[in-house]
Amino acid sequence: MKTILQAENVEKVYRVGSVDVAALRGVSLDLEEGEFLAIMGPSGCGKSTLLHLLGGLLTPSGGRIVLDGEDMTAASDAKRTDIRRRKIGFVFQRFNLFPTLTAEGNLRLAERIHAGGAGGAGGNNSERRREVLSLLKLEDKMHHKPLELSGGEQQRVALARAIVNRPAIILADEPTGNLDSENSAIVLNMFQEMNYRFNQTIIMITHNPEAAAMCRRIVQMRDGQIVAPNTGLQV
Amino acid sequence: MESLVANNIRQRPLRALVSIAGVALGVCLVMLFTGLSRGMSNDLQRRSSNLRAEIIFTRPGGMELTTSTANLSTKYADELLKVEGVAQAVPIIRYVFQGGRGFGFEQVEGVDWDAFAAMNEMRLVDGRAPSAVDEIVIDETKARNGNTGVGGSLALFGGKPYRIVGVYAPESGARVKMSLAAMQDALEAPGKCSYILVKTRDGIDPLAVVRRIESQPSTQGNKIQLTRDIITNIEKTIPYLGVFLRALVGLSAVVSGLVVMLAMYTTITERTREIGMLKALGASRGYIVSVIEREAFVISLLGLVAGFAVSFVAGYLINRAYGLLFEYGWRWALVAAAIGVGGGVLGALYPAVRAANLDPVNALAHE
Ligand SMILES: Nc1ncnc2c1ncn2[C@@H]1O[C@H](COP(=O)(O)OP(=O)(O)OP(=O)(O)O)[C@@H](O)[C@H]1O
Ligand SMILES: [Mg+2]
């Protein structure tokens, strides 16, 4: 199997005034293609920091991150942005859809950015888009704006937007954190479906043990470290 | 159209309108002022081109558009008549004052009507020539614009009423004329005038007459100009007009730039999280700059169109209300367009670059 992600001894120190806060103290993590990994741990243990580092939104203070064969640590800011464009799909707790665009518009914008154009062409991905929207049961919501959608529907649109460009990996930070249990279950099922249908590699941060239980592998973090490294709970 | 740019503008119609109005204001300023200056200067040219006199005799500095000096002795007229080739010499006082209704200059001339009319082939279409100290004649345009005529009255020199006793044509110089004596009386300048119009005899080269006058000892120390030279120079006779217009253009650019800058700045503050999401999606700095610049461009373009529209309507209305003439030229319209759009695009550059440089994690955490 192909290794999608390699993180070696990743460290992150935030500087607050003159005080250094060590958010990550040497995290190592390997991920194979098609894995669905849950990261759990108490608030403030560094889960989001890790996810932002893996997605190139932050630069590590130490260690190495290689994503799908590309070294993120050595890359410039522009290069990391480019890797993000080609290889990563983000899903956030606060759906972060573009409020002025319809569901379809949100997907098209992502496609356009993925295509690398500053506008104009793009959006010729209609087959893939239709497939994703249908799997996520969003066909009849295509022309709705985010405010006209329920939280669960918004998060499904966000997932569709993340997956429509076939990223190497989806990074989700508490995607069910803003949803009630019913919608959480629907969204989690969709994540699982994407993982199954497209062999989509996913990392998902969650506080919910039931959500974690749906993943193939779980890592526990504490104080900026992985405390149950790679053993995981097989479900 | 499913575009971030168009939808963002539609999302905040009031702010878009205010920014459009800001750009329009800058464009209007340029269009109205340059239109007015052109209109005034073309109007003056038309009026001076009706002068039949070939030569204008003044004291140095006496023939400026905005001066109202009466520093030339009327006795020179007699001296000029002695010069060979001179047919007529008519002294004139020109008085320029701030327009009675707000802005623009108004002029009054004091002339010996019969001599002036004979020299320049003017005729009275109504009434008679001015003679008493409180009598004036006006030209047809003035009568039409002011909706007045013989029997009406006009307030001059800060409120003093004058009776209109005649209407003349064609237009020439000041639209209001009184007798030379009345003007000398009003200005307390007996025996003085602003300049003397000189008409040469038929078939004689005016330039030769100019030379003869120049060599005359009795008229030394004065300025002798050909009427046609003064006409072509009229735009240059308004001091610092060019500088004023350039300053205005600069100010307009600053206004447009600042308004659009402020609008785009509030936009990116409001949409910080969206910009964070654009970054998470892998949008480059260039892409983010282009999104914001395109929005600014659309706003500037709309402002430009609004500015042109308002300029034309305002020009028409001001002309109807105050009789001021606006003439718009392509060159200034292009300058106004460059300023509206250029100012907007330049003003948006700072917010755009700022947005492109936002830290994605902080932007995504923004409330
Ligand atoms: N920008 C920052 N500046 C300084 N300290 C930060 C910053 N971001 C995070 N931290 C600190 O780093 C540590 C890890 O934060 P992080 O957000 O990764 O935690 P988390 O595990 O995602 O928590 P939660 O479950 O509450 O989301 C915390 O102690 C936090 O206070
Ligand atoms: Mg977190």
Side-chain angles (χ1 to χ4, degrees):
Chain A
M1 266 224 262
K2 184 179 165 195
T3 301
I4 290 290
L5 180 79
Q6 279 176 288
E8 282 170 34
N9 207 23
V10 173
E11 295 174 9
K12 179 67 187 178
V13 177
Y14 289 111
R15 216 182 160 87
V16 183
S18 57
V19 183
D20 286 344
V21 179
L24 290 183
R25 313 154 183 266
V27 171
S28 297
L29 187 68
D30 279 13
L31 213 64
E32 304 288 318
E33 185 171 22
E35 278 203 80
F36 187 3
L37 172 79
I39 300 178
M40 297 190 73
S43 184
C45 70
K47 304 181 296 295
S48 296
T49 302
L50 176 61
L51 205 75
H52 293 151
L53 286 168
L54 298 179
L57 295 175
L58 289 175
T59 40
S61 315
R64 208 163 91 97
I65 298 167
V66 179
L67 183 89
D68 199 21
E70 299 194 64
D71 190 338
M72 305 263 282
T73 16
S76 66
D77 184 57
K79 176 73 183 161
R80 273 185 288 122
T81 304
D82 194 53
I83 296 174
R84 211 154 54 226
R85 177 175 68 79
R86 289 181 284 111
K87 307 230 156 142
I88 300 169
F90 275 104
V91 180
F92 297 100
Q93 179 174 353
R94 299 190 297 178
F95 327 118
N96 281 340
L97 296 174
F98 295 95
T100 59
L101 300 182
T102 61
E104 195 189 15
N106 269 275
L107 264 62
R108 278 176 182 271
L109 178 61
E111 287 169 9
R112 225 160 31 222
I113 292 171
H114 181 75
N124 289 327
N125 208 1
S126 57
E127 206 174 303
R128 166 78 171 181
R129 194 189 318 138
R130 218 167 297 133
E131 186 184 8
V132 167
L133 284 170
S134 128
L135 278 174
L136 296 178
K137 302 200 166 47
L138 286 167
E139 294 119 312
D140 53 337
K141 307 284 177 192
M142 267 182 18
H143 302 297
H144 289 245
K145 293 198 173 166
L147 282 178
E148 303 156 2
L149 297 170
S150 75
E153 286 164 346
Q154 287 189 56
Q155 196 60 302
R156 271 145 64 196
V157 174
L159 176 57
R161 180 178 64 180
I163 206 167
V164 75
N165 295 317
R166 305 170 203 270
I169 189 166
I170 285 186
L171 303 173
D173 194 342
E174 296 187 45
T176 59
N178 271 9
L179 300 178
D180 58 27
S181 56
E182 193 183 333
N183 273 305
S184 293
I186 295 171
V187 167
L188 285 167
N189 273 322
M190 301 283 179
F191 270 86
Q192 220 174 18
E193 174 106 4
M194 296 299 114
N195 173 240
Y196 178 76
R197 289 266 184 152
F198 300 120
N199 198 32
Q200 176 66 58
T201 315
I202 302 173
I203 297 181
M204 178 175 79
I205 294 174
T206 183
H207 282 290
N208 182 350
E210 280 170 47
M214 297 178 86
C215 301
R216 300 191 186 185
R217 193 174 134 204
I218 302 174
V219 296
Q220 294 281 349
M221 285 184 67
R222 210 162 312 253
D223 284 338
Q225 287 178 312
I226 292 181
V227 288
N230 286 8
T231 53
L233 311 166
Q234 295 294 331
V235 181
Chain B
M1 184 177 40
E2 184 79 88
S3 101
L4 207 53
V5 173
N7 286 347
N8 282 341
I9 291 173
R10 241 176 278 150
Q11 187 75 8
R12 288 267 180 259
L14 185 65
R15 180 167 60 212
L17 270 178
V18 169
S19 343
I20 288 168
V23 174
L25 177 73
V27 171
C28 262
L29 278 178
V30 172
M31 289 302 284
L32 284 178
F33 275 93
T34 58
L36 180 62
S37 103
R38 255 177 74 105
M40 269 171 57
S41 119
N42 287 352
D43 180 45
L44 284 172
Q45 277 198 33
R46 260 195 309 277
R47 279 192 267 160
S48 12
S49 62
N50 283 331
L51 284 180
R52 292 284 179 276
E54 295 89 351
I55 298 167
I56 292 178
F57 182 88
T58 49
R59 292 207 61 82
M63 187 65 187
E64 300 285 347
L65 188 80
T66 50
T67 52
S68 339
T69 44
N71 57 359
L72 185 70
S73 169
T74 51
K75 289 204 186 89
Y76 283 113
D78 303 330
E79 296 297 327
L80 288 166
L81 280 171
K82 287 180 201 155
V83 176
E84 194 195 329
V86 171
Q88 289 158 304
V90 176
I92 294 180
I93 294 187
R94 175 153 63 175
Y95 185 75
V96 181
F97 61 98
Q98 195 72 45
R101 273 189 291 178
F103 61 102
F105 295 112
E106 293 236 22
Q107 301 179 31
V108 191
E109 280 170 358
V111 293
D112 186 351
W113 178 261
D114 292 333
F116 180 80
M119 171 192 255
N120 296 299
E121 293 163 33
M122 305 270 149
R123 63 201 150 78
L124 288 163
V125 293
D126 194 12
R128 56 173 176 82
S131 56
V133 290
D134 65 340
E135 289 179 351
I136 52 171
V137 289
I138 60 177
D139 71 10
E140 284 181 312
T141 308
K142 181 90 183 169
R144 199 172 346 104
N145 283 344
N147 207 4
T148 183
V150 174
S153 80
L154 270 183
L156 302 174
F157 307 113
K160 201 169 156 205
Y162 281 81
R163 284 186 295 127
I164 301 169
V165 298
V167 177
Y168 68 90
E171 52 188 7
S172 164
R175 297 197 188 281
V176 178
K177 299 193 199 306
M178 61 180 70
S179 72
L180 185 65
M183 190 71 138
Q184 287 169 338
D185 181 62
L187 298 182
E188 296 181 348
K192 296 283 184 182
C193 65
S194 307
Y195 55 95
I196 297 170
L197 287 180
V198 177
K199 185 152 171 36
T200 56
R201 285 185 203 288
D202 288 347
I204 293 190
D205 179 12
L207 216 54
V209 179
V210 166
R211 272 191 222 106
R212 243 169 270 148
I213 297 171
E214 276 169 348
S215 60
Q216 193 82 23
S218 62
T219 55
Q220 287 289 300
N222 295 300
K223 204 158 127 194
I224 299 114
Q225 288 166 284
L226 288 175
T227 313
R228 57 166 192 261
D229 290 344
I230 290 189
I231 291 170
T232 57
N233 269 331
I234 238 159
E235 245 169 291
K236 290 173 197 145
T237 60
I238 301 180
Y240 303 118
L241 181 66
V243 178
F244 171 73
L245 289 180
R246 270 192 292 277
L248 193 81
V249 164
L251 276 177
S252 306
V254 170
V255 169
S256 302
L258 282 181
V259 167
V260 173
M261 178 162 110
L262 211 66
M264 298 320 287
Y265 194 86
T266 55
T267 298
I268 67 149
T269 309
E270 198 170 77
R271 300 208 301 251
T272 300
R273 213 139 56 81
E274 288 177 54
I275 291 157
M277 193 58 221
L278 281 176
K279 297 201 139 207
L281 284 169
S284 65
R285 277 158 204 264
Y287 184 89
I288 292 169
V289 167
S290 87
V291 166
I292 290 162
E293 280 292 0
R294 272 181 289 160
E295 190 171 331
F297 182 74
V298 171
I299 284 176
S300 308
L301 219 57
L302 292 173
L304 190 65
V305 172
F308 280 143
V310 170
S311 303
F312 283 106
V313 172
Y316 173 75
L317 291 179
I318 293 174
N319 177 252
R320 287 227 353 211
Y322 300 101
L324 290 175
L325 270 181
F326 288 84
E327 284 175 31
Y328 300 112
W330 275 115
R331 219 169 56 85
W332 281 113
L334 282 179
V335 169
I339 275 166
V341 174
V345 166
L346 223 71
L349 203 58
Y350 169 67
V353 168
R354 214 181 128 95
N357 286 334
L358 281 177
D359 173 64
V361 176
N362 288 340
L364 283 164
H366 198 265
E367 283 309 315

